[in-house]
Amino acid sequence: MKSLSYMILFLSVLAVACTSCKKPYAPPAIKVDNKFLVIDGVLVNSIDSPTVFTLSRTVRLTDSTTSSSPEPGALVSIEGNTGEIFNLSEYPNGIYKADHLVLNSTNQYRLKIITSPGGEYASDFVEVKQTQPIDSVRWEQHNDVFIYLYSHDPTNNSRYYRWDFTETWQYRARLESELGVSNGLMYYVVRQPDDQKYNCWGTDNATDLLLGSTAVLSQDVVNKAPIAVVPQNSVKINVRYSILVKQYAITDKAYQYLQILKKNTENLGSLFDAQPTQLLGNIHSLTNPSEIVIGYLTASSVQQKRIFINKDEVTQWNYIYPGRTCDEQKVIDQNPTNYLLYNYPDTGYAPYFFAGTTGLVINRVSCLDCTLQGGVNKKPSYW
């Protein structure tokens, strides 16, 4: 979640400097080493979507990093008020996940956490909300591409919503080659799909809190809720782009808490602005009741919808590859005894194509290998 590491600002800064002072003033509270536990995630009642929680600790404003610190080694579980227990598995970077939780919608559930230093935390028991389907996800281009969601609840029972999304996009290396290097040996093959380095897929998840409410409307209708923006000429729509949008119904109390969290983390002003309200969530420390814990457990089913956008559907979209040009290719001699042998001292270059029967054209690896831009060369199953 974006800027959670700044939460300590709102929880511990108690004084500010006067605008007329010439001498800089650093409030002592800024240096307080409070590492508050931060819990982000949704308890999902679904056989298709996993339940994922991210645990981290806040950092001081004076720390060199602006990122929160992941919380590894915790024991995380879901407990039902009738005795059910579901354990979550730990993944890198403070991520804890359980696949395919099937919850009883008439029961209540809570989150239980035991951290490696011995801290014990638990949420209040919460109801499991039922989420109505998404009607549609649409996009419009106004230079940038704007993505919107439309939904409604005919029973008028939802009223408060949270959304998140996962973006996936296909991109390509600047140059396509059928040649590769393995253990210093160059081989010439038509690459198999699991070995090609021309087409790759990148992935991003939502970093902002996306919330909506229809409480002031006569009908529970969500009309054109803004979900995401793809900047003009982004690599994300240079070939093909997809976004999977997920919708959760939440309670009014959860909505109020998340609204405060959204303002605290996304609408940062100066120290001279009015300070936001302290957060009081539904997750508490059992070992130290006075300890501040940042997070709010919600439980619901999930509805989702995916759309695709191809480059030929947008206008004036011209992605510019970063870095150096790929025009500086070189021609080297093939090994006279075995053309499969490739040995060039600069590992920043790789085989591109054969030039006749004796020459080999090489180019920068960064121009030939799309995985170097952070994506993977395995096509997603839904592509």
Side-chain angles (χ1 to χ4, degrees):
M1 187 180 298
K2 184 178 180 181
S3 300
L4 280 175
S5 60
Y6 291 112
M7 190 56 59
I8 189 171
L9 171 65
F10 310 118
L11 298 167
S12 58
V13 175
L14 303 177
V16 297
C18 175
T19 56
S20 62
C21 296
K22 296 181 179 179
K23 182 179 179 180
Y25 172 65
I30 290 180
K31 299 181 180 179
V32 175
D33 192 18
N34 289 327
K35 295 185 178 296
F36 303 127
L37 182 63
V38 181
I39 302 103
D40 178 36
V42 177
L43 175 54
V44 180
N45 182 22
S46 172
I47 60 173
D48 299 317
S49 297
T51 288
V52 181
F53 287 95
T54 301
L55 272 56
S56 60
R57 296 277 180 176
T58 56
V59 297
R60 296 177 300 179
L61 292 178
T62 54
D63 289 348
S64 58
T65 177
T66 58
S67 299
S68 56
S69 175
E71 181 77 4
L75 300 177
V76 182
S77 60
I78 302 299
E79 298 180 349
N81 60 348
T82 59
E84 298 172 278
I85 297 179
F86 305 94
N87 294 315
L88 278 66
S89 300
E90 182 179 2
Y91 292 82
N93 301 317
I95 294 175
Y96 299 83
K97 184 170 74 170
D99 292 322
H100 318 310
L101 291 184
V102 179
L103 308 177
N104 188 330
S105 59
T106 62
N107 293 342
Q108 294 186 330
Y109 296 85
R110 73 172 182 175
L111 179 67
K112 186 76 174 291
I113 300 169
I114 301 176
T115 60
S116 57
E120 189 170 354
Y121 305 83
S123 72
D124 299 335
F125 282 97
V126 299
E127 64 175 303
V128 181
K129 296 279 291 182
Q130 181 66 31
T131 304
Q132 295 296 321
I134 299 171
D135 293 333
S136 63
V137 176
R138 308 175 193 174
W139 62 274
E140 299 175 4
Q141 185 182 5
H142 307 284
N143 293 326
D144 299 341
V145 167
F146 297 83
I147 297 168
Y148 302 102
L149 176 142
Y150 299 79
S151 183
H152 77 285
D153 181 356
T155 67
N156 289 332
N157 288 327
S158 295
R159 293 298 183 180
Y160 301 96
Y161 299 89
R162 178 178 180 176
W163 301 289
D164 65 22
F165 61 82
T166 299
E167 297 173 294
T168 306
W169 62 94
Q170 181 181 358
Y171 68 92
R172 290 176 175 147
R174 297 191 194 187
L175 304 174
E176 183 175 12
S177 174
E178 295 178 331
L179 301 177
V181 175
S182 178
N183 296 324
L185 296 179
M186 183 274 294
Y187 57 90
Y188 180 72
V189 295
V190 176
R191 290 181 180 270
Q192 297 301 311
D194 61 350
D195 188 41
Q196 62 85 29
K197 298 294 178 65
Y198 181 59
N199 285 289
C200 280
W201 286 263
T203 302
D204 265 350
N205 295 312
T207 56
D208 294 335
L209 273 171
L210 302 174
L211 305 170
S213 171
T214 63
V216 299
L217 303 178
S218 60
Q219 298 295 318
D220 197 350
V221 176
V222 177
N223 184 49
K224 205 174 184 179
I227 298 297
V229 179
V230 184
Q232 187 178 27
N233 301 328
S234 167
V235 67
K236 292 181 178 180
I237 314 183
N238 194 40
V239 180
R240 194 186 192 203
Y241 168 87
S242 175
I243 184 169
L244 176 66
V245 183
K246 294 184 178 182
Q247 175 169 274
Y248 309 91
I250 60 176
T251 64
D252 57 343
K253 291 182 179 179
Y255 177 80
Q256 298 301 326
Y257 174 90
L258 294 173
Q259 275 284 72
I260 296 172
L261 181 61
K262 182 180 178 69
K263 292 177 182 178
N264 286 2
T265 58
E266 297 175 10
N267 300 330
L268 296 174
S270 73
L271 289 176
F272 302 100
D273 294 331
Q275 296 299 299
T277 306
Q278 180 172 309
L279 289 166
L280 297 175
N282 66 350
I283 306 176
H284 320 283
S285 171
L286 302 182
T287 52
N288 180 11
S290 64
E291 180 182 347
I292 294 173
V293 182
I294 301 170
Y296 200 104
L297 179 69
T298 62
S300 73
S301 60
V302 58
Q303 297 289 341
Q304 58 189 35
K305 189 172 288 291
R306 180 186 297 279
I307 64 168
F308 292 88
I309 305 174
N310 296 316
K311 183 181 180 180
D312 59 9
E313 297 179 81
V314 294
T315 59
Q316 297 181 343
W317 206 273
N318 301 299
Y319 172 67
I320 299 176
Y321 283 91
R324 302 176 63 174
T325 178
C326 295
D327 296 333
E328 302 172 11
Q329 61 191 27
K330 303 178 181 181
V331 180
I332 64 173
D333 293 332
Q334 296 179 30
N335 188 299
T337 60
N338 185 347
Y339 77 95
L340 291 177
L341 293 177
Y342 169 78
N343 185 18
Y344 189 73
D346 188 346
T347 57
Y349 283 79
Y352 181 18
F353 62 89
F354 286 110
T357 58
T358 60
L360 177 67
V361 178
I362 62 176
N363 212 310
R364 298 184 185 281
V365 176
S366 59
C367 299
L368 301 168
D369 187 349
C370 60
T371 64
L372 297 179
Q373 300 177 46
V376 298
N377 62 344
K378 305 297 188 295
K379 182 169 68 173
S381 58
Y382 51 83
W383 209 258

